[in-house]
Structure formats: C-alpha cells, structure tokens
C-alpha cells in the first residue's frame, strides 16, 4: 500500500469553479499528514478568474510575505494548471502580450506563468475543435507540450477521452524528464477511462517514467484523496520509486529533473 505525502494538484477559490481557500486546503493537508500540496489553479481564459490587464492577481504569489513557502507545517508549491489551447501544444496566454508594468519580464502571459510558478501542470480541457484531431495530431500535441521548458507535469492525460499513441507520449516524457499524472478525479468522474489510465501507468512503469498522483480537489475535503489511483497502481504493482509524489523529497527531486537542474 502506498502512502503518498504530496498532493500536487489542488484548486482553490482562485479557480472560478472551486470552493475552498488555500488555508482550508492546507488545513486538511496537515490533518491528513501530507508533507506538501501544490496550489494549481487554472490558467486559461475559460476556467479562471484571470482577466487581461489584471496581472497584479498573477504576480502576488511572487511576494513571500503574501504566500509563504510553508504554511501550517505543510510545504505549499505555487503551481498552476495551464490550458493546452491547440494541436501545436500552445499554452493559454501565449498570444497575449504582457503589460509593460509587470514585475517580471516575459513575452506573454504563458511565459510569465512558466517563468514564475514553482511547478506547472499543463492539461487539455477544451479548445475549439479539440475532438477533431487525428491520433497523430493528438499525440504530437502532448509531445510538444512535454517538450516545453518548465512544464513539469502533463495533467490528467486520459481525461479528454481522445485517442493517443501512448508509447510515444511516454517516450516524450522520458526524453524530457517530465512527469505524467494519474488523476484521482478522472477515475472518480470517468470510470470508463480506468482501462486507459491503467495502460498509461503500465507503460510508465516499463519505461521508468515518473508519475504523480493528484487529487484534483476542487474543495478542501478532497485534498489528499488518492484512493482510486492507489487501487489502480496497487493492482498493477506500480513501482513506488517511480511515484514522484510519494514524498516531498522525491517530488522536489523530480521537479529538479523536469527543470533540468539535476
Ligand atoms: Zn484539469
Ligand atoms: Zn485541476
């Protein structure tokens, strides 16, 4: 039985459709004995509060007094879940030049996010025509995303229900030192995807590609909820040493690898 100490995927009220504060997520994380959580609110024009011209909302996380690294004994990663917006694997905000008065020099909002967050999950939720691609186009989209600097984790890869050439996706993760997510919420809300999720986990195990397990909590009570993911990983005997979210130390090491620091 795995005892995972990091929840690398949680949302707060800064995601327009989630319900808890950072403090509430942290409190539950501490109660459940987690060593760390990541705050990964959405960045995408459809799924977050962000409006162009309100970049001060995005920059506040750079001020340690406003958002400390450790809260209530829990390491809190300032993360993001950024949207994939086309088959090229472009990320949300790439087309939007950042305001001149921004604290951080960046070409555009996507760059700003990639340059300033502790960790970045890139996920496909929706873009116009996203169901119209071929298997090759879908696969290339994920490969391009995994090749992007400072994208650390491909979020809930199976959630969208599209077809991919999974060995090629896993191979790209391996080449770039990135992590793939096994997402507890996908297994809860889309049980029909469990077979694909299991297949993906098996390929990761065979290739030695690290995974993370995320709760994708949209309310604090779901922080640290990994039961379905743990059942799946147990069933296939997934090697614990490849679960980067098993401990804070393992997660930091995997992030270092994803960002080329090791
Ligand atoms: Zn998501
Ligand atoms: Zn999410």
């Amino acid at each position: 039985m795995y005892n995972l100490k990091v929840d690398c995927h949680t949302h707060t009220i800064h995601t327009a459709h989630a319900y808890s504060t950072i403090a509430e997520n942290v409190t539950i994380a501490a109660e459940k004995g987690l060593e760390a959580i990541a705050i990964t609110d959405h960045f995408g024009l459809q799924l977050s509060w962000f409006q162009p011209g309100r970049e001060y909302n995005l920059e506040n996380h750079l001020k340690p007094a406003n958002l400390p690294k450790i809260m209530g004994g829990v390491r809190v990663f300032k993360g993001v879940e950024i949207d994939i917006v086309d088959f090229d694997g472009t990320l949300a905000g790439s087309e939007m030049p950042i305001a001149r008065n921004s604290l951080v020099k960046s070409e555009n909002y996507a760059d700003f996010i990639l340059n300033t967050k502790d960790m970045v999950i890139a996920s496909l939720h929706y873009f116009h025509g996203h169901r119209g691609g071929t298997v090759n186009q879908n696969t290339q989209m994920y490969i391009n995303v995994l090749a992007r600097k400072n994208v650390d984790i491909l979020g809930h890869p199976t959630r969208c229900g599209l077809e991919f050439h999974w060995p090629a996706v896993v191979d790209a993760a391996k080449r770039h030192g990135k992590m793939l997510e096994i997402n507890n919420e996908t297994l809860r809300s889309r049980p029909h995807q469990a077979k694909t999720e299991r297949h993906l986990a098996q390929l990761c195990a065979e290739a030695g590609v690290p995974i993370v397990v995320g709760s994708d909590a949209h309310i604090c009570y779901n922080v640290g909820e990994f039961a379905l993911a743990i059942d799946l990983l147990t069933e296939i005997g997934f090697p614990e040493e490849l679960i980067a979210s098993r401990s804070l130390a393992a997660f930091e090491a995997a992030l270092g690898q994803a960002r080329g620091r090791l």
Side-chain angles (χ1 to χ4, degrees):
M1 188 62 152
Y2 310 99
N3 185 11
L4 309 181
K5 295 289 189 184
V6 179
D7 190 344
C8 65
H9 191 156
T10 77
H11 294 273
T12 76
I13 49 171
H14 296 284
T15 284
H17 56 273
Y19 300 98
S20 298
T21 61
I22 293 175
E24 288 164 340
N25 282 8
V26 166
T27 301
I28 298 290
E31 279 175 18
K32 291 185 177 177
L34 297 187
E35 294 174 350
I37 61 169
I39 303 298
T40 52
D41 285 308
H42 290 286
F43 183 76
L45 294 186
Q46 303 196 16
L47 290 169
S48 68
W49 288 118
F50 172 71
Q51 297 289 326
R54 294 181 64 200
E55 43 284 324
Y56 53 84
N57 280 1
L58 290 174
E59 293 184 346
N60 227 9
H61 71 277
L62 300 175
K63 301 169 188 163
N66 289 354
L67 200 49
K69 250 176 130 167
I70 295 174
M71 302 179 210
V74 176
R75 169 77 168 97
V76 180
F77 289 92
K78 297 159 194 174
V80 68
E81 182 179 16
I82 192 167
D83 265 8
I84 301 166
V85 299
D86 63 23
F87 287 117
D88 290 334
T90 305
L91 300 177
S94 298
E95 308 301 322
M96 297 162 56
I98 201 158
R100 280 192 306 275
N101 60 0
S102 168
L103 292 174
V104 178
K105 282 206 189 318
S106 298
E107 290 290 305
N108 53 55
Y109 284 104
D111 252 24
F112 174 83
I113 294 283
L114 292 170
N115 290 338
T116 63
K117 295 289 187 179
D118 294 337
M119 50 150 294
V120 174
I121 300 175
S123 303
L124 173 63
H125 297 102
Y126 169 87
F127 60 78
H128 188 67
H130 76 291
R131 296 208 171 276
T134 63
V135 177
N136 281 348
Q137 277 178 305
N138 297 342
T139 303
Q140 195 58 49
M141 169 176 65
Y142 272 178
I143 290 172
N144 290 355
V145 168
L146 287 162
R148 284 189 187 281
K149 184 169 177 264
N150 289 359
V151 167
D152 306 299
I153 298 167
L154 185 62
H156 50 64
T158 70
R159 165 103 46 104
C160 57
L162 302 182
E163 278 190 57
F164 295 88
H165 185 52
W166 290 112
V169 174
V170 170
D171 182 60
K174 188 170 179 78
R175 268 185 289 122
H176 299 292
K178 306 296 176 76
M179 296 169 256
L180 299 182
E181 184 191 27
I182 299 298
N183 182 288
N184 201 69
E185 175 56 23
T186 296
L187 293 165
R188 190 197 63 78
S189 62
R190 292 167 178 76
H192 57 280
Q193 287 300 91
K195 195 175 160 208
T196 312
E197 198 89 347
R198 193 177 301 115
H199 175 57
L200 179 60
Q202 268 162 341
L203 291 173
C204 288
E206 286 160 20
V209 165
I211 62 156
V212 288
V213 175
S215 71
D216 207 351
H218 281 63
I219 191 160
C220 58
Y221 304 107
N222 288 337
V223 170
E225 281 305 308
F226 306 132
L228 296 170
I230 285 177
D231 283 352
L232 182 147
L233 296 171
T234 304
E235 210 180 291
I236 62 171
F238 192 88
E240 188 165 14
E241 65 274 15
L242 283 179
I243 307 177
S245 56
R246 68 188 183 279
S247 69
L248 173 57
F251 189 58
E252 283 183 323
L255 272 183
Q257 188 182 338
R259 298 200 165 198
R261 288 196 298 261
L262 290 182

